[in-house]
Amino acid sequence: MNRSGWSCGALVAGLLLAACGGLGGSDEASSDSIDGDDGDAGDCTVVDMAVSSEKITLLTELANDFNGSDDADTDTGCVFVRPARKSSGAAAQLIVDGWPDPEINGDPPVIWSPAASGWGGIVNERLGRTVAPPGTPFMLTPLVIAMPQPMAEALGWPDAPIGFQDIVTLANDPEGWASVGHPEWGPFRLGKTNPNYSTSGLNFTIAEYYAATGKTSGLTTEDLTRPEAVAFASDVESAVVHYGDITMTFLNNWFATDVRGTSLTYASAVAVEEKSVIDYNLGNPDGELSPGETPRVPRVPLVAIYPSEGTLFSDNPFIILDTEWVTPEQQAAARVFEAYVQRPENQEKVLSYGFRPNNPAVQVGDPISAANGVDPTQPRAELEVPDPAVLVRILDAWAQQRKEARVLLVLDISGSMGDPTADGRTKLDLAKEAAISALGQFKATDDVGLWVFSDGLEGAPDPNYRAVVPVGPIGEQRRELERAIDEQFPTNGTPLFDVTSKSYQSMLDGYDPDRINAVVILTDGVNDDGDASDDDQQFESMIGQLRAGSEGAASRPVRVFTISYGDGADTVTLKAIAQATAAAHYDASNPATIQQVFTAVISNF
Amino acid sequence: MIVRRLMAVVIAVSLIGGAVLIRRELERDDPSGPSAGDITMLVCAVELAAACGAVTELPVTIEEAGTTLDRLADADADSTSILWLTFDPFPAMADSLRTAARLPATTFQAEAIASSPIALVAPTSVISTIGETCGTEPTWQCVAGLDLRIGFARTPTSGTGLLGLVQAALGFDPAGSPAFDDAQFQVWLRNLVRSVAPSQLSSGTAIDTLQTRPSSMDVAVGTVAQLGNGRRSDFGVAYAEPMIRADVVLAAPSGAELPDEVARQLREGLVAGGWEEPDPSSSALDARTVLAIRALWEQLR
């Protein structure tokens, strides 16, 4: 039970405002939500869409223009389109699984628009049948390597071509940026999303293997197992800061550190779509302006590096699904909207959002310009999208070659975790189930440990937390972790600040430079240690500690990922904690989504 | 008991099978083929969709010419009620496939209503390279030897994609038609069709893809009309030998009357979209040759 509420003092409020608001971009990392038009569909044929996150705003605008217009009227009735955000990889898995739990995952889509056509091939390959036939591309954007301009210039940009090979060479140089005359920037740090969820991550991983083999087309499964390809991929992955399900996490963190003048030591390069570089430089790093948010031009702009070996395009297809939940009437209705978005006037909107139009009648122009850090005449070469069977093998291979993680799970077992949820089970029951399920996402050589926290814990050396399972190889202690999580039950208060500080310090003391070092904190409440008088001081001290360890060329980054669980969590504080370590905050205000959220959190490792 | 039931099933199946065979034989004996009913739908090749958008008299279906072709070759297809806006010789190819499958031919009556030359489209710098190396009337032998990534639209389905490949195949030996089973020819054609994977075509046609993603290929093969009115100034055109035109035909089943108003609307729409009047001097392509090259593509991919 949370015994008392915590009120943010003036000083703390100021800090939080600086950390969380008015900086241009939310640090919210919860990638999947329902964004569809809330308007009344009436008797119209409803076309639900699952849309990758970077284009949800654009497609919502197009759908709102379309719904209720003459364009939505057909000989057989009207059409009503409802876009909802769903990351490409998550949607692919849901389609393979038959789109379970619509109350959590949203209604099953008629149109699936992942960021790239390759996802359709992956789904068909995994199912052994075609449920995702080739779709008509909607708009285009190439994969680029975003770099802060001073760093790109240090590598010879814009005159010298820069390729994946150059990035790998720098990443593996023990001197890091000192090798090109900039020791103040520390080691080369790469931001790359998890290829199981994100198209940028998938395309970058494909490009790794092409660079390793010297090919630009015809990648085979045999190529993936060649020793030099395996070594090359492992070298690239070793430079990764952390993974994650969406590129916006990196861009928001870059933007937040830009305010403090430390962006050059957070990440040296991040694999993103060209459109994201434009958004960042226009002061809107995640491409979505929240109400009251004002764009702010960054102090250090990003530039897009188009790899000299070639790159891959995200072609954003409209895939009209051929599966049991889609009727012929819905398919016909989907084609009406598909034709609508290809019209020149709507392709002009595509361009205004920083994507390249798919209709050749609309030529590339502003905002795709040098002023925004991108080059409309690039890329000059492309890499071929591999066959679906090869794509599936790439994902399998990545799971083995990705950077290993060292993670401490910190679980709130305060009294309020015993509150019942809609399905009758307690919040703690759902959290335990999700945490145990999430353990399956780690690979055997990852190190994982478990702390639980509440105050007045009897028998623990520190009454505010219990180190239940020390951090160690999960391959050896998976059963122990599962059992330990399952044994937990609700107790007392929520000493959030104290436990955040101590768990962070514990991970910093055992820092392993060859791994992603992280703490994952799940809590449903506000700081409540029985003494509210020192909360402001505690908060300030904790944030200072987290920042001090995370900034600078010689930093030893321990990322603290936070989960707001239930509607009573102190989301503002949890966002500030995540941002202080350039990590991410996740929203599970609806306890039913905790399984999904845990999956997204673990995608960082 | 079980034996008697099985006997009953066998007899029933035999009766049904016999009825089907008798009906097929009756249809085959009918020299006029299936009777033409009322035309209920206009089916348009994707490349011609813009022109079909103006037609209001009939419901319109847009699909790749090869998709319609395969559908019409099916035993269950109703080929007697559609008006088909496609490319020559697709209607003859449909009849040829039906005949080969021992199905009654539709015997389409096709009228040419527009035309556009098959061409190589590329950035002007690439067109200059082709001109400098291969001359103003380049042969396919020369162009294919330039180490360029040459993109065709999805050949088995796209009408203009297939006609482009036919031009390339016929250009292998300027002195005469190639022998399709010649190993040297097959290797040459395989290298050509594999230079750009169909999966790279983000905008459907090769020309659209090249215009929206110039990094995807060096040269796109298609019709000049596909460049459209929004043609970019930094793209040029070269005409390879042998010159082939994509003739747009409006095909109606034998016995059905060609609706004049629909034909007029389509002509106007095509001209507005960059298509030219039909060229009477254009030599028709042989349906069997085009089908053979289509089959060869499947084999070489």
Side-chain angles (χ1 to χ4, degrees):
Chain A
M1 183 177 73
N2 292 316
R3 286 180 306 223
S4 66
W6 175 74
S7 60
C8 200
L11 171 64
V12 176
L15 277 170
L16 292 180
L17 190 64
C20 310
L23 301 182
S26 150
D27 64 347
E28 188 63 66
S30 179
S31 59
D32 294 341
S33 61
I34 299 168
D35 299 86
D37 190 323
D38 292 331
D40 183 7
D43 295 330
C44 297
T45 302
V46 174
V47 175
D48 282 303
M49 289 188 74
V51 174
S52 54
S53 52
E54 70 285 350
K55 58 177 180 280
I56 184 66
T57 311
L58 167 60
L59 273 168
T60 300
E61 182 183 333
L62 287 170
N64 289 344
D65 291 347
F66 173 81
N67 292 336
S69 72
D70 291 344
D71 297 310
D73 279 330
T74 71
D75 295 340
T76 54
C78 56
V79 179
F80 193 88
V81 177
R82 288 195 307 211
R85 180 199 317 249
K86 190 66 70 178
S87 75
S88 301
Q93 189 58 50
L94 284 169
I95 293 167
V96 169
D97 293 342
W99 207 275
D101 303 324
E103 67 279 4
I104 297 170
N105 297 312
D107 288 323
V110 176
I111 301 176
W112 174 34
S113 186
S117 291
W119 290 106
I122 288 173
V123 165
N124 296 335
E125 181 73 14
R126 285 183 169 155
L127 283 172
R129 61 193 167 94
T130 301
V131 301
T136 306
F138 165 46
M139 57 190 186
L140 307 164
T141 188
L143 174 77
V144 302
I145 299 172
M147 294 187 80
Q149 187 169 330
M151 288 177 150
E153 287 168 345
L155 296 181
W157 180 89
D159 301 322
I162 300 171
F164 289 107
Q165 189 67 57
D166 301 300
I167 299 294
V168 174
T169 301
L170 186 56
N172 288 329
D173 193 321
E175 289 190 46
W177 282 105
S179 66
V180 290
H182 287 280
E184 73 277 16
W185 295 337
F188 182 89
R189 296 182 170 117
L190 176 65
K192 172 179 180 281
T193 39
N194 185 321
N196 285 298
Y197 299 90
S198 157
T199 303
S200 297
L202 176 63
N203 282 345
F204 191 90
T205 309
I206 294 168
E208 277 176 36
Y209 285 106
Y210 272 125
T213 57
K215 289 183 167 184
T216 57
S217 64
L219 198 65
T220 65
T221 51
E222 290 74 25
D223 289 331
L224 308 181
T225 57
R226 285 163 53 182
E228 63 271 26
V230 172
F232 188 96
S234 298
D235 286 347
V236 174
E237 300 295 330
S238 69
V240 165
V241 175
H242 62 82
Y243 296 102
D245 59 343
I246 49 173
T247 55
M248 286 76 168
T249 303
F250 293 106
L251 295 161
N252 281 329
N253 284 337
W254 235 341
F255 208 75
T257 52
D258 179 79
V259 176
R260 297 175 53 78
T262 59
S263 63
L264 298 181
T265 56
Y266 164 60
S268 311
V270 178
V272 298
E273 293 176 340
E274 177 189 62
K275 174 250 192 317
S276 294
V277 174
I278 297 168
D279 286 339
Y280 185 93
N281 288 336
L282 291 173
N284 181 20
D286 57 9
E288 292 181 56
L289 281 179
S290 306
E293 184 181 334
T294 308
R296 179 190 62 81
V297 175
R299 302 200 308 190
V300 179
L302 300 179
V303 297
I305 306 293
Y306 302 83
S308 54
E309 298 94 337
T311 191
L312 293 111
F313 267 85
S314 292
D315 60 354
N316 296 280
F318 266 37
I319 296 174
I320 300 173
L321 294 173
D322 184 7
T323 187
E324 62 273 13
W325 65 72
V326 180
T327 67
E329 290 75 24
Q330 287 174 313
Q331 289 176 326
R335 289 191 191 94
V336 176
F337 186 59
E338 180 187 42
Y340 175 80
V341 301
Q342 297 286 347
R343 287 191 196 165
E345 64 270 28
N346 293 324
Q347 292 281 304
E348 292 281 2
K349 279 186 185 162
V350 161
L351 180 60
S352 72
Y353 274 79
F355 292 99
R356 301 186 182 205
N358 188 59
N359 186 334
V362 180
Q363 296 199 13
V364 171
D366 197 55
I368 301 176
S369 64
N372 292 321
V374 300
D375 181 352
T377 69
Q378 291 271 14
R380 304 258 159 74
E382 285 190 32
L383 304 173
E384 185 183 282
V385 178
D387 290 338
V390 178
L391 288 175
V392 170
R393 280 290 300 126
I394 284 174
L395 292 176
D396 294 343
W398 177 84
Q400 297 308 312
Q401 286 150 13
R402 68 169 173 78
K403 190 173 186 177
E404 288 170 342
R406 181 172 167 273
V407 180
L408 178 60
L409 303 176
V410 180
L411 192 61
D412 181 349
I413 56 166
S414 64
S416 54
M417 290 290 280
D419 293 346
T421 64
D423 76 353
R425 291 182 292 169
T426 67
K427 285 195 285 186
L428 186 58
D429 288 337
L430 296 184
K432 289 194 303 188
E433 183 180 80
I436 289 171
S437 174
L439 294 178
Q441 290 176 248
F442 289 101
K443 64 176 176 179
T445 49
D446 286 332
D447 288 345
V448 182
L450 174 70
W451 284 17
V452 294
F453 74 101
S454 189
D455 60 353
L457 292 176
E458 292 181 4
D462 185 321
N464 281 350
Y465 72 92
R466 180 178 288 122
V468 186
V469 180
V471 175
I474 192 171
E476 297 171 14
Q477 58 184 25
R478 192 182 302 274
R479 295 288 164 266
E480 187 182 351
L481 279 162
E482 289 173 357
R483 190 171 54 249
I485 292 170
D486 194 45
E487 285 172 351
Q488 300 308 315
F489 54 87
T491 55
N492 303 314
T494 311
L496 177 62
F497 296 162
D498 182 54
V499 171
T500 299
S501 176
K502 285 172 177 164
S503 58
Y504 171 82
Q505 190 60 47
S506 169
M507 290 300 281
L508 190 61
D509 292 344
Y511 182 79
D512 183 343
D514 295 327
R515 291 173 183 263
I516 299 167
N517 295 263
V519 177
V520 175
I521 296 178
L522 177 145
T523 180
D524 73 333
V526 299
N527 185 61
D528 171 22
D529 57 5
D531 178 9
S533 65
D534 63 350
D535 280 357
D536 289 358
Q537 187 188 352
Q538 268 190 304
F539 176 83
E540 191 182 357
S541 169
M542 173 189 68
I543 293 293
Q545 175 198 17
L546 300 180
R547 277 194 183 138
S550 304
E551 294 177 350
S555 65
R556 295 183 300 159
V558 174
R559 315 285 172 192
V560 183
F561 295 89
T562 54
I563 302 172
S564 292
Y565 187 45
D567 55 10
D570 183 358
T571 294
V572 174
T573 293
L574 291 171
K575 282 185 175 179
I577 291 170
Q579 198 171 80
T581 61
H585 163 261
Y586 292 80
D587 176 17
S589 49
N590 174 4
T593 65
I594 187 61
Q595 191 101 28
Q596 198 179 33
V597 169
F598 246 116
T599 298
V601 174
I602 306 302
S603 75
N604 286 285
F605 318 123
Chain B
M1 187 71 174
I2 293 173
V3 174
R4 285 171 64 184
R5 280 185 181 166
L6 280 174
M7 288 280 289
V9 169
V10 169
I11 290 168
V13 168
S14 304
L15 287 171
I16 293 167
V20 169
L21 284 173
I22 290 166
R23 180 173 173 180
R24 273 211 180 154
E25 286 306 313
L26 286 172
E27 285 177 350
R28 199 170 293 147
D29 290 342
D30 179 359
S32 65
S35 59
D38 291 337
I39 289 175
T40 58
M41 179 174 288
L42 173 64
V43 179
C44 296
V46 168
E47 298 91 329
L48 312 171
C52 292
V55 173
T56 53
E57 282 76 6
L58 289 168
V60 176
T61 294
I62 311 290
E63 64 186 14
E64 295 281 16
T67 304
T68 315
L69 175 69
D70 290 336
R71 206 157 40 76
L72 292 175
D74 190 89
D76 298 328
D78 173 14
S79 57
T80 61
S81 61
I82 68 161
L83 195 59
W84 190 12
L85 187 70
T86 187
F87 301 99
D88 187 54
F90 275 77
M93 289 159 66
D95 282 337
S96 186
L97 287 175
R98 289 183 68 85
T99 303
R102 305 188 62 166
L103 296 168
T106 306
T107 322
F108 278 106
Q109 306 297 306
E111 180 184 335
I113 62 170
S115 177
S116 186
I118 296 288
L120 309 176
V121 177
T124 48
S125 59
V126 177
I127 293 294
S128 297
T129 302
I130 292 172
E132 288 161 10
T133 313
C134 303
T136 52
E137 295 181 350
T139 65
W140 265 100
Q141 273 282 7
C142 181
V143 173
L146 289 179
D147 193 26
L148 296 170
R149 295 169 300 155
I150 301 173
F152 297 87
R154 294 181 177 88
T155 301
T157 51
S158 161
T160 52
L162 180 56
L163 295 180
L165 190 68
V166 167
Q167 186 195 45
L170 296 179
F172 170 72
D173 180 5
S177 294
F180 291 158
D181 57 354
D182 174 45
Q184 192 183 358
F185 167 70
Q186 289 195 356
V187 168
W188 179 83
L189 195 65
R190 185 183 62 199
N191 290 339
L192 196 59
V193 299
R194 287 186 176 180
S195 73
V196 175
S199 61
Q200 300 295 88
L201 300 177
S202 56
S203 299
T205 72
I207 291 176
D208 282 356
T209 301
L210 177 65
Q211 288 187 94
T212 53
R213 258 173 55 209
S215 50
S216 59
M217 64 189 82
D218 301 309
V219 177
V221 183
T223 65
V224 173
Q226 284 174 289
L227 266 173
N229 298 328
R231 174 176 168 175
R232 291 169 49 155
S233 59
D234 48 347
F235 283 86
V237 174
Y239 299 95
E241 289 294 321
M243 176 63 130
I244 285 181
R245 298 185 71 88
D247 290 326
V248 180
V249 293
L250 187 58
S254 175
E257 196 170 332
L258 204 62
D260 290 342
E261 179 58 18
V262 172
R264 186 191 63 76
Q265 288 174 341
L266 290 171
R267 276 196 190 91
E268 288 180 4
L270 287 165
V271 169
W275 292 83
E276 303 165 9
E277 291 291 329
D279 181 353
S281 66
S282 175
S283 54
L285 290 168
D286 174 58
R288 282 169 301 180
T289 302
V290 179
L291 281 170
I293 292 172
R294 188 179 191 235
L296 191 58
W297 186 93
E298 297 277 15
Q299 186 186 327
L300 297 176
R301 283 303 303 176

